Amino acid sequence: MKISVSSRLILSPFKWLRKIRGFKLVYTPLIAIVIFTAVMGVILGTLQLQEKNQQESALFRELSLAKQRIQLRFVNNFDVLVSINRELAASEDKERLRKIAYEQAVDLVNNNHEIVKIIWIDPKNQWLWTAPLSNNKSDWINRTQNDQSANEGLNNAIELSRSTNRASFSQFINLNLPSNDPLEKERKTVFWQVVPNIVGGDIIGYLAALYTTQGVLDLVPSELKAHYRFTLLTDNERVLSISSDRNTPKRAFSNQTSLDIGVLSPNLTLRIDTYPPPTNLTFRMLIGVVLGLCAFVIWSLWSVLKQMQVRQEAEASLRTETNFRNAMENSTPVGIRAHDMEKRITYVNRAFCEMTGWSANELIGLTPPFPFWPDSRREELVEKMNQALESEAISKTGIEGAILRRDGSQIQTRTFIAPLINEKGKQTGWITSLIDISEPKKIREELAVSQERFVTVLEGLDAAVSVVDLENDKLLFANRFYRENFGDDAQGHFKLAGNPNNLETLHELAKDLQDSPPGIPSSFLYQESESEEVQLDDGSNKWFEVRRRFIPWVDGRLAQLLIATDITIRKEADDLARQQEARMQFTSRLTTMGEMASSLAHELNQPPSAISNYCMGVAKRLEGNIDPAINKDILPALEKASEQAHRAGTIIQRIRGFVKRSEPQRKFSSIKTIIDDAVGLVEIEAHRHRLSITSQLADDLPEVNVDPVLILQILVNLLKNALDSVREAYPLSSRWSAPPVNISADLDTSTFPAMMRIQVTDSGGGIAESVLERMFEPFFSTKADGMGMGLNICRSIIESHHGRLWASNVMDSERTKLAGCTFTMLLPLESPDSMENG
């Protein structure tokens, strides 16, 4: 060993010398080519960088020129608009000066492509004239029905100019134009410039000019647009207009700058992009020559290396084979051992040694029974090994055994045996592979225990759980609750699933999903349907809350999982709650009527007294007098007596209709009549407290299909609450000056379809945010003697009519404190039955 080591050390310098020499001969040309390529790359890169800097400088100059041209045009346009304003503001010879101003405006529109039209507007936002009156340049806004969006932008710009007394701009307005319109691209985005006409510190009018962003971009000279692409952008990188649809390449240069078109103008950015320059043939040829020369030298070097590769190929193959075998043996977790024909161990790998705790030298040469077999199972394992060697079927499935490690611990294994055949086709022994199955076996045992616990939980649920195969309607799984209530078949599953007529549809769906590649889509599986309440039709009147979903069964078939919970008790409780709510509605009406009893008694006493007084006066006048003049005085008195009697009858009729007990009956009713009745019932109490009620009803209101008594109950309740709020906010001495409680009715067209909107607004102290969130909850009240059910019942009635009811506070003009509250009620114009059928 010493001699070999010393000889290796002596030969090492010679080996290193040969390696260095071979390195110089082979790799020196390659290093030269690399250095040459690097130098040429630096030179070409420097030229490219210089050219790039020149292009960027030219790009900045052209962008500055375009920016200066656009900003100068806006300054000139502003000066012309100011000049027109001076002509319009002149006090002498107004007609002639205004005619001159109009002609100047027409000339400005005709001579400036970016301006569509100019409008003269008075301080009340009324259009006095438009320049030009009518032409193809301005009429397209009316034809394309974009007046509303354009006018909204104009009004916003006017308001900004009015508040600042300076010229202002609107935001950019996107117009909806037909795609086939030839001017769609040019006039898609517009904006307004408003210049106020200020005389003596007061604004006497406005000049508004409508600009198109494409027209602004057209101010850039055409010779620049031929070489560059210009784009107008907003802050959020939204493209307003573009000079050309031709795309720029990825290596194009870009630059951008902000445009200052006015003090109160929206932020506007002008961007410039270059088009690709013409091909530099000389530069490309130079690169081609360099690359060709490098390729030729590399090919020459490759020829030399090819010869060396042939010499090293045998060594590389041998090393690869050896390394592969060692890697296979050392990296596999499977223990491998080989036996000769006498069952003697001839080879073991490292994994087998680690598995047993014995070394390879200790294991090679051993015969069964082996020392790494447990003493209690040696005879069993010997018999299993003999059977596996004789039976080919057993060797394929493997035999389950155990290994006793050297430290005394045991592991469970599965052994596979195969015959060992040499290159001549003769068997020379057996090869066995062992797999440690301790952990998988432990996992299987834990899964079995977990499965048992899972089944126990399902069996203990008070809900029916079932799984049905959709191909053959077979019940795959059912828990105890399902079996006790529906038996051992799938009929109960389909009863709970809904309409039995859908069973054929489910079968077709299951067939289509399994036939379609690549199987059942994952987006379809595990999507739980919304819970449904199902009542059984077997006479038991039981209700179940059902949830179902499609799942793949353990064998891949499509199945349906259903979970049904018995909610019969909850449904009965809901029915009882609805009955109690109906009774409370009636009680609420009686309570409201009791509160109004004292006011009605006082008011009803006055009409009979007036009737008595008028009748006594008539009697005294008729005693011995038949004068026509007396009859002339008697007739008005009789009319007043009749009017007072009719008023008393009207009041009594309203009270009877309000407290009458009846089932809800919908019919087409007039909202105006219902509101008048509600105001008539409540205004007595309002007058008693020195308050008043006003009503604002829109014209031609349609009739709505409602229960007039229930809607009357809601309006009376809301009006009484509004009066109470005003009464608490104003002391008794100042109530005559308090704003009246207002009730209004109109159509709300912001929803689709339109709905009837009724609003009750008071000028009280408003509602606190904490109360506003809970005021519609049952039994919640801020009054000491309140039941807390009035607003809850009102919302329930509105929701039963498929409407909405909510409250919102009203702020004062300075928005510093609450100045009242508004209750809004929306009712559908169509009946709920017609909406459901539709």
Side-chain angles (χ1 to χ4, degrees), residues 614-626:
Y614 283 125
C615 291
M616 291 176 61
V618 170
K620 289 181 180 180
R621 286 179 177 273
L622 290 177
E623 289 179 359
N625 295 316
I626 314 179

Side-chain angles (χ1 to χ4, degrees), residues 369-439:
F370 300 115
F372 49 79
W373 284 350
D375 296 337
S376 59
R377 301 186 60 183
R378 286 189 176 183
E379 296 181 359
E380 174 192 353
L381 293 176
V382 169
E383 183 179 357
K384 286 184 176 181
M385 182 177 180
N386 294 332
Q387 293 177 356
L389 295 177
E390 297 174 358
S391 175
E392 186 176 351
I394 297 178
S395 63
K396 291 183 179 180
T397 58
I399 57 176
E400 187 173 337
I403 287 181
L404 179 63
R405 296 174 56 86
R406 198 163 191 173
D407 58 3
S409 60
Q410 289 189 18
I411 59 175
Q412 302 296 324
T413 62
R414 180 173 294 278
T415 305
F416 298 90
I417 301 177
L420 187 60
I421 309 297
N422 62 10
E423 68 278 2
K424 298 180 180 180
K426 182 179 178 181
Q427 182 178 356
T428 60
W430 291 271
I431 187 74
T432 63
S433 58
L434 287 79
I435 302 175
D436 186 358
I437 61 171
S438 301
E439 193 66 24

Side-chain angles (χ1 to χ4, degrees), residues 50-234:
Q50 184 178 2
E51 182 181 0
K52 178 182 177 181
N53 293 334
Q54 292 177 356
Q55 291 182 357
E56 288 179 346
S57 300
L59 191 69
F60 178 78
R61 289 195 302 271
E62 304 299 349
L63 179 62
S64 301
L65 177 62
K67 174 182 177 181
Q68 182 181 6
R69 189 182 181 97
I70 293 175
Q71 292 183 163
L72 182 61
R73 176 59 65 88
F74 272 92
V75 171
N76 293 337
N77 291 346
F78 175 78
D79 293 337
V80 174
L81 293 176
V82 171
S83 175
I84 296 174
N85 271 337
R86 286 197 297 267
E87 299 292 342
L88 293 173
S91 59
E92 298 179 358
D93 199 1
K94 286 187 176 181
E95 294 299 329
R96 186 179 65 82
L97 293 178
R98 289 188 177 182
K99 182 176 180 181
I100 294 174
Y102 176 79
E103 291 176 354
Q104 291 178 355
V106 172
D107 291 339
L108 182 61
V109 173
N110 293 333
N111 296 328
N112 292 272
H113 180 66
E114 70 276 8
I115 300 179
V116 177
K117 61 181 177 180
I118 298 176
I119 304 173
W120 168 244
I121 304 172
D122 64 6
K124 297 181 179 180
N125 291 1
Q126 299 295 325
W127 294 15
L128 300 180
W129 50 258
T130 301
L133 289 176
S134 176
N135 61 3
N136 294 330
K137 192 174 181 181
S138 59
D139 290 348
W140 55 272
I141 297 182
N142 300 330
R143 293 199 303 270
T144 54
Q145 299 180 355
N146 283 283
D147 299 86
Q148 183 177 1
S149 58
N151 292 339
E152 288 179 359
L154 176 59
N155 293 334
N156 294 335
I158 292 175
E159 290 299 324
L160 180 60
S161 179
R162 180 181 291 116
S163 60
T164 59
N165 285 342
R166 305 179 71 175
S168 64
F169 291 80
S170 70
Q171 296 297 323
F172 299 106
I173 305 167
N174 288 332
L175 303 180
N176 296 322
L177 302 178
S179 59
N180 57 355
D181 192 341
L183 299 179
E184 187 268 341
K185 174 185 175 182
E186 180 179 355
R187 301 170 178 174
K188 185 176 182 180
T189 306
V190 298
F191 63 96
W192 292 94
Q193 181 185 16
V194 175
V195 180
N197 196 343
I198 303 175
V199 177
D202 296 330
I203 297 177
I204 65 171
Y206 305 90
L207 269 182
L210 180 63
Y211 286 84
T212 63
T213 56
Q214 190 64 36
V216 173
L217 199 59
D218 289 342
L219 297 177
V220 179
S222 58
E223 58 270 14
L224 293 183
K225 291 190 289 184
H227 296 87
Y228 305 97
R229 186 180 72 178
F230 291 85
T231 308
L232 285 180
L233 305 169
T234 59

Side-chain angles (χ1 to χ4, degrees), residues 672 696-702 745-747 756:
K672 182 179 183 304
Q696 296 178 354
L697 308 180
D699 298 333
D700 301 331
L701 290 175
D746 58 359
L747 291 180
M756 180 69 69

